[in-house]
Structures are given as C-alpha cells and as structure tokens.
Amino acid sequence: EAAVTQSPRNKVTVTGGNVTLSCRQTNSHNYMYWYRQDTGHGLRLIHYSYGAGNLQIGDVPDGYKATRTTQEDFFLLLELASPSQTSLYFCASRRQNYAEQFFGPGTRLTVL
Amino acid sequence: GEQVEQLPSILRVQEGSSASINCSYEDSASNYFPWYKQEPGENPKLIIDIRSNMERKQIQELIVLLDKKAKRFSLHITDTQPGDSAMYFCAARGGTNTNKVVFGTGTRLQVLP
C-alpha cells in the first residue's frame, strides 16, 4: 500500500500565526492533494499538484498557499492563520492513470 | 464545477440488516464514482468504485449502483457488522477535470448490536 506521511500530527497556533503543514509520499506518485475535513462539509480540496513545481487551485483555496518542492514533498502554508482554518487536514497522493487516492494520517490544526 | 450531495448524514441500523447511502451529482459528464470508508481516528480508504460504463458492482457485502440518467449512485452494505461502523464518503470525478474528485458530505453509519 502507498505510504503517505504528514507532519506535524497536531498543531496549535494563534490567530495571525504562520503555519506550514508537510506531506511526503514515497511511492513516486505524480498527483498530490491537500484536503480539509469539517463536520457537515466532508472533504474539500484546497490545492493539488501533478508534479514538482506544479500547483493547481482546488475548491476552497482562500487563505492557503501550497508548494510542491519535489516529487515526494507537498507543503500547505497558512501565512495568517484564522480560527476558520481550524480543521483536520489530509494529504493524499495518486499515481497517474490510476484513480485511487491514498491518504495520509491527517494533521489536526487548531487556531486560537 | 461538480457538486455531490450525500444522504443521510447519520444512519443507524441493526447488526445483520442492510444499510444504504445515496448520492447525487450534477455534471452529466462525470465518469468515476469512488466510495471511501473512514474509521474513527483514521484516514479515508477506498472500498469500492464504479465507472460510468457500469450500472452495478459488487465486492463481497458491498454493492454500488449507478443511475446515470438520474445522476444518482448508491452504496449498499448487506449483512452489516460492527466493523462496518464508520464514516462513508461518496465522490464523483467530473468530465472536464479528471484530475480531482468532489466528495460528498459524509454518512456516519452506526451498526447497533
């Protein structure tokens, strides 16, 4: 099974704080995704990428930046965190021409 | 873009009975419909999927039905067991952007002993 790791697993910050969430996959998957999960909203796509240096805007991108530095690493950046960004964040990866997404363990972010 | 509606949000069934979750989508060009299961404290995992060239697919106790005309698809779990208790998400991949899926809002299934 594909291996996707995320760090940190838990993060608490204050309003206006700067946060970086990290995701790494070691299966040479082309596609990587950042989602947030909130009760009543399911999983919503923030940003995604199909390779190093590429970035595609998702469905709820406001307040988030992302960067794909290598095939393995995808980062989500919150430069001015707000309480509305308190959520459970999942990273996922997918191999080109295959549909299944493999999710990481999640990062719980709390913005006070 | 594609939007997916999922109902019910909470489903309680007796052990051994069947459970059904229904989803609808808007983009008639959508061609791929996966279902993910998320156990408490865990990440979502793909359990079954169906493509638009099929109307029915079964993997053991899981049955997925797709009605393209009505733009609806559903997951049926027969003979539910306590291990089926989890959050379930449907999703649809639109026809114009095949690089992403849109998820439904989730159904929390509780199998009661």
Side-chain angles (χ1 to χ4, degrees):
Chain A
E1 186 171 305
V4 182
T5 57
Q6 293 182 235
S7 63
R9 296 294 312 277
N10 289 282
K11 176 73 176 179
V12 180
T13 190
V14 296
T15 299
N18 193 320
V19 177
T20 298
L21 306 185
S22 302
C23 177
R24 165 165 278 214
Q25 54 89 12
T26 57
N27 294 279
S28 300
H29 287 179
N30 305 84
Y31 290 86
M32 296 184 74
Y33 302 83
W34 276 109
Y35 293 94
R36 60 178 290 173
Q37 182 178 4
D38 305 285
T39 302
H41 294 278
L43 291 156
R44 293 181 290 175
L45 181 65
I46 304 170
H47 290 300
Y48 65 105
S49 166
Y50 57 75
N54 175 264
L55 181 65
Q56 302 293 315
I57 296 173
D59 300 320
V60 289
D62 292 348
Y64 302 95
K65 293 183 179 179
T67 181
R68 181 91 175 268
T69 55
T70 65
Q71 180 83 340
E72 295 79 17
D73 299 301
F74 195 30
F75 300 93
L76 186 67
L77 296 79
L78 292 74
E79 295 182 332
L80 288 171
S82 73
S84 65
Q85 294 176 308
T86 293
S87 187
L88 179 58
Y89 291 86
F90 283 104
C91 175
S93 72
R94 175 176 72 86
R95 185 176 169 187
Q96 189 168 0
N97 297 326
Y98 288 78
E100 181 176 0
Q101 293 188 25
F102 294 89
F103 285 81
T107 294
R108 185 163 295 281
L109 174 66
T110 302
V111 183
L112 301 175
Chain B
E2 177 65 283
Q3 298 212 29
V4 176
E5 182 176 349
Q6 181 173 351
L7 291 171
S9 56
I10 299 175
L11 179 59
R12 297 186 180 92
V13 300
Q14 291 295 135
E15 182 177 348
S17 66
S18 298
S20 297
I21 303 171
N22 299 294
C23 293
S24 61
Y25 59 98
E26 294 189 354
D27 184 355
S28 57
S30 289
N31 54 23
Y32 173 69
F33 307 91
W35 288 86
Y36 284 79
K37 176 183 180 181
Q38 184 182 26
E39 303 198 41
E42 298 292 321
N43 54 3
K45 293 180 176 64
L46 181 71
I47 55 172
I48 191 169
D49 56 14
I50 190 166
R51 297 184 185 275
S52 57
N53 60 350
M54 301 176 69
E55 294 180 349
R56 183 182 191 276
K57 183 174 181 178
Q58 181 168 2
I59 298 177
Q60 297 180 332
E61 80 281 4
L62 303 176
I63 300 171
V64 174
L65 302 176
L66 173 62
D67 182 343
K68 287 182 291 183
K69 191 172 182 181
K71 292 189 283 188
R72 292 179 184 171
F73 59 113
S74 55
L75 174 68
H76 307 270
I77 306 173
T78 60
D79 188 23
T80 54
Q81 300 300 311
D84 294 323
S85 294
M87 180 72 82
Y88 291 81
F89 293 100
C90 64
R93 184 177 69 187
T96 51
N97 184 343
T98 59
N99 296 320
K100 66 172 191 172
V101 295
V102 175
F103 285 88
T105 51
T107 296
R108 181 167 299 283
L109 173 63
Q110 298 176 351
V111 179
L112 307 173

